[in-house]
Amino acid sequence: MPSKAGARLMQGNEACAEGAMAAGLRFFAGYPITPSTEIAEELALLLPKAGGKFIQMEDEIASISAIIGASLAGAKAMTATSGPGFSLKQEGIGFASYTEVPCVIVNVQRVGPSTGVPTAPAQGDVMQARWGTHGDHPIVVLCPSSVAETFALIIEAFNISERWRMPVVFLMDEVVAHMREKVTVPDVSQIAVAERPRPQVSPEQYLPYAAGEDLVPPMADYGTGYRYHVTGLTHDQTGFPTTKRIEVDALTRRLDAKMRMAAPHVTFVDEILVDDAEVVVFAYGITARAASRAVRDARAQGLKAGLIKAKTLWPFPDEHVRKAAERARAIVVPEMNMGQLVREVERAAAGRARVVGLSRVDAEPITPDEILARLREV
Amino acid sequence: MHKEIRLSGTGGQGLILAGIILAEAAVHDGREVIETQSYGPEARGGASRAEVIIADEAIDYPKVGVADVVLVMSQEACNRYAAQVKPGGLVVVDETNVKSVPDVAGARVVRLPITDIARHEVGRQVTANMVALGALVGIAGLATPEAAERAVRERVPKGTEELNLKAFRLGMELAMERARERARERARERVREASDAT
């Protein structure tokens, strides 16, 4: 049941749940944890009304395993958690990544590591979202900075996941998750929804991991007569395990090439006043909101500042940073961690501009004044 | 319009719900709005605050620093937040719970028996948040009364709408009465000034 179109006051977590429903979510399994709990609460109400399934599982590992199973059976599936649960889900994320099972994993970041400060915001899981599961694997990580963006971006998360057959991590923070803002919900006819590619051949001819030109193998729903094997072991086109060097190499390289092919379609970045900027802020999540104000204040004081707001963190938007670094003298990277994406910005800037981090890790968001002060220094 | 509002008190007073209702009223009024909140791990007794920004333009940074309007419903919240108000701003104090107010130079302080009214006139102390909301709408004009009443109806638990609306309206009336008193006092002052001048 799509939510009613029009302007409404919505919480970030609520927008995540309602956006997921608009994208076609039909199965949620989770183990509620602060500050993500409202996502589960909302979906417990919405999913049964839409003929979907909501299951509160016994733990986080079971939750991600359940959504992988649901997705194999053809349902758009999601789980939601926070840091401690995200750590537990890494095993399943690796499985979904290697077996190319579409699913969305929401992680509402809180102060960590371990139990940390459950009710307070942080941005400490950026690298974990990229590299948390073992092995060489591509992944898409999206990060909203407002409630309206949460609604729109979670739909993209599903579309990317389905279109490219890959798990997508939706990385929120406690502030965006718990704040309420006006969201103008579009009419359901205005929302573009993608579906996974399904086989065009008979079950007898079906090779579950044979990909065409777009490198995405068509995916059959379990229970529809297409019987195939899914394993976390390295597999060949038939889905059965292999240790042949040529096939081991081919699978890792195809997954990497698929990510490269998808990259232009999954990279969402807003550039604000970057064209003539002498100093640029690179920010994401709630920090991008403070950065937006800082840039406006800097301009009012005669300092030509600009903002690169990354809504896609992975694959990292190299090109946007490279271009900005050619013109600007410095790029400031405020993060609620001790410096995670600042190193990626440094890599992409490749010495063309000075890159300066700004860390805040006291369980409070970075303020516009802190960013403005750093902009004036560089 | 760009107003930054902080509602503060202790957990259990319903300040977060009051903040949500105020924010929803602003949406009904066609304005931009953002509501954030902060609370301790305790459900009751810990410090609690909700912050609302209501504006005509898009709002970038969601947190309130120095506020235009501050509501303090406990002594602890008063000690912490009453002075974080802009010159020319407004501090609304629940005098049932707050005995001393620190110096808030340049801001107007309005003391109202918010919890007493909830307890004795509405008959339920838990409606103090709605009395406070009514007072804020009445004094500071943060939302139209129609939008606020609609938001109260939509957001309070089913079956308690009339009780909460009664509390909201008593808060509005209290604010209006204070505004009338203030107007009369000002008029008297002007008359005094005029007679002094002659």
Side-chain angles (χ1 to χ4, degrees):
Chain A
M1 193 191 301
S3 44
K4 234 172 68 189
R8 276 175 52 197
L9 185 74
M10 235 190 247
Q11 192 193 46
N13 279 338
E14 198 184 338
C16 178
E18 297 221 7
M21 293 302 294
L25 176 74
R26 285 300 170 269
F27 185 93
F28 179 94
Y31 188 74
I33 177 171
T34 302
S36 74
T37 306
E38 295 85 355
I39 299 171
E41 283 177 348
E42 195 69 19
L43 289 172
L45 292 172
L46 296 175
L47 271 168
K49 286 187 198 162
K53 291 273 181 272
F54 171 93
I55 307 182
Q56 180 166 330
M57 299 297 291
E58 68 271 33
D59 63 35
E60 285 87 350
I61 299 173
S63 305
I64 189 151
S65 302
I67 69 164
I68 291 168
S71 183
L72 283 165
K76 291 185 180 177
M78 178 171 100
T79 187
T81 189
S82 185
F86 194 53
S87 292
L88 293 168
K89 288 182 200 286
Q90 295 303 329
E91 171 66 25
I93 293 172
F95 185 87
S97 173
Y98 213 26
T99 55
E100 298 172 80
V101 173
C103 57
V104 175
I105 302 101
V106 180
N107 172 14
V108 182
Q109 296 168 96
R110 67 190 215 188
V111 173
S114 192
T115 312
V117 186
T119 56
Q123 297 180 309
D125 306 350
V126 175
M127 283 295 169
Q128 186 192 21
R130 175 64 190 91
W131 293 114
T133 195
H134 61 275
D136 204 0
H137 66 283
I139 196 150
V140 173
V141 179
L142 304 182
C143 177
S145 70
S146 73
V147 177
E149 221 168 78
T150 300
F151 186 91
L153 208 56
I154 190 78
I155 296 171
E156 297 294 347
F158 276 93
N159 288 350
I160 292 165
S161 180
E162 295 289 322
R163 165 69 186 85
W164 298 97
R165 282 193 67 177
M166 49 174 76
V168 172
V169 174
F170 198 69
L171 200 60
M172 298 173 71
D173 57 65
E174 186 275 338
V175 184
V176 171
H178 277 161
M179 71 187 183
R180 288 178 176 80
E181 287 187 279
K182 187 168 85 177
V183 176
T184 305
V185 176
D187 188 78
V188 68
S189 65
Q190 303 299 307
I191 298 173
V193 168
E195 302 297 333
R196 64 189 63 176
R198 287 188 163 88
Q200 304 295 315
V201 298
S202 66
E204 294 72 37
Q205 293 169 301
Y206 181 53
L207 281 171
Y209 286 96
E213 275 180 10
D214 68 352
L215 305 178
V216 184
M219 185 172 174
D221 298 349
Y222 262 49
T224 58
Y226 292 80
R227 301 180 62 172
Y228 65 101
H229 188 241
V230 180
T231 176
L233 286 164
T234 301
H235 41 276
D236 62 16
Q237 293 192 345
T238 66
F240 285 102
T242 179
T243 53
K244 285 185 193 149
R245 275 164 51 196
I246 189 168
E247 285 171 347
V248 175
D249 182 78
L251 179 53
T252 296
R253 287 185 188 279
R254 177 174 64 79
L255 295 180
D256 182 68
K258 183 174 79 167
M259 184 75 259
R260 285 169 197 277
M261 195 177 275
H265 308 285
V266 306
T267 304
F268 305 109
V269 175
D270 289 347
E271 290 193 356
I272 298 147
L273 302 167
V274 171
D275 283 349
D276 68 337
E278 296 162 11
V279 285
V280 169
V281 189
F282 179 97
Y284 53 93
I286 188 58
T287 310
R289 300 287 287 268
S292 162
R293 166 85 72 89
V295 163
R296 206 155 47 91
D297 291 349
R299 288 263 169 181
Q301 294 175 13
L303 175 63
K304 283 187 178 168
L307 170 65
I308 298 176
K309 180 171 89 176
K311 294 189 274 193
T312 300
L313 305 187
W314 305 103
F316 188 76
D318 279 40
E319 202 51 23
H320 293 267
V321 173
R322 192 185 60 74
K323 274 195 207 143
E326 274 168 13
R327 193 179 304 242
R329 69 167 176 271
I331 303 176
V332 171
V333 188
E335 302 180 89
M336 294 171 66
N337 56 50
M338 288 312 293
Q340 296 197 8
L341 278 191
V342 64
R343 293 172 191 171
E344 291 299 313
V345 173
E346 231 164 350
R347 179 185 56 72
R352 293 181 198 94
R354 204 177 142 214
V355 176
V356 182
L358 170 59
S359 291
R360 184 157 183 182
V361 289
D362 66 347
E364 286 287 333
I366 297 175
T367 66
D369 286 347
E370 289 172 290
I371 298 170
L372 181 62
R374 191 56 54 94
L375 283 172
R376 301 201 68 84
E377 281 165 23
V378 294
Chain B
M1 173 177 186
H2 183 102
K3 292 263 188 218
E4 306 200 354
I5 305 122
R6 178 175 289 120
L7 315 178
S8 62
T10 54
Q13 283 182 318
L15 290 163
I16 289 170
L17 180 60
I20 292 168
I21 291 173
L22 180 58
E24 184 138 286
V27 171
H28 293 330
D29 281 333
R31 293 207 162 96
E32 296 298 323
V33 68
I34 190 158
E35 184 268 350
T36 60
Q37 51 199 267
S38 158
Y39 38 81
E42 320 87 330
R44 284 195 177 77
S48 164
R49 71 173 201 256
E51 296 175 349
V52 181
I53 304 176
I54 302 173
D56 293 320
E57 308 274 309
I59 303 159
D60 39 25
Y61 188 61
K63 293 275 178 179
V64 171
V66 181
D68 297 284
V69 178
V70 180
L71 168 72
V72 291
M73 297 269 293
S74 75
Q75 187 63 54
E76 190 196 342
C78 182
N79 299 346
R80 231 164 127 180
Y81 299 118
Q84 288 183 42
V85 62
K86 288 175 191 165
L90 171 70
V91 183
V92 175
V93 176
D94 177 7
E95 63 185 1
T96 312
N97 298 322
V98 179
K99 298 305 166 201
S100 73
V101 180
D103 184 30
V104 287
R108 191 176 141 211
V109 176
V110 178
R111 289 179 177 78
L112 301 172
I114 291 169
T115 300
D116 268 347
I117 288 177
R119 209 180 280 154
H120 302 299
E121 292 187 39
V122 189
R124 292 289 304 277
Q125 187 175 327
V126 288
T127 61
N129 58 345
M130 293 300 108
V131 178
L133 184 67
L136 287 176
V137 168
I139 301 171
L142 300 172
T144 59
E146 299 73 33
E149 291 205 2
R150 185 179 153 200
V152 170
R153 269 185 204 287
E154 286 167 352
R155 288 279 179 173
V156 298
K158 290 271 168 291
T160 69
E161 291 90 343
E162 292 313 315
L163 187 76
N164 280 293
L165 281 171
K166 183 181 175 190
F168 174 83
R169 286 173 192 148
L170 281 168
M172 284 257 314
E173 276 167 30
L174 184 67
M176 298 301 194
E177 182 49 41
R178 285 300 163 92
R180 280 192 292 271
E181 274 170 28
R182 190 172 145 86
R184 280 196 293 271
E185 198 157 306
R186 280 192 165 174
R188 277 197 294 273
E189 268 171 34
R190 274 198 297 276
V191 170
R192 264 199 305 275
E193 278 164 24
S195 58
D196 286 351
T198 50

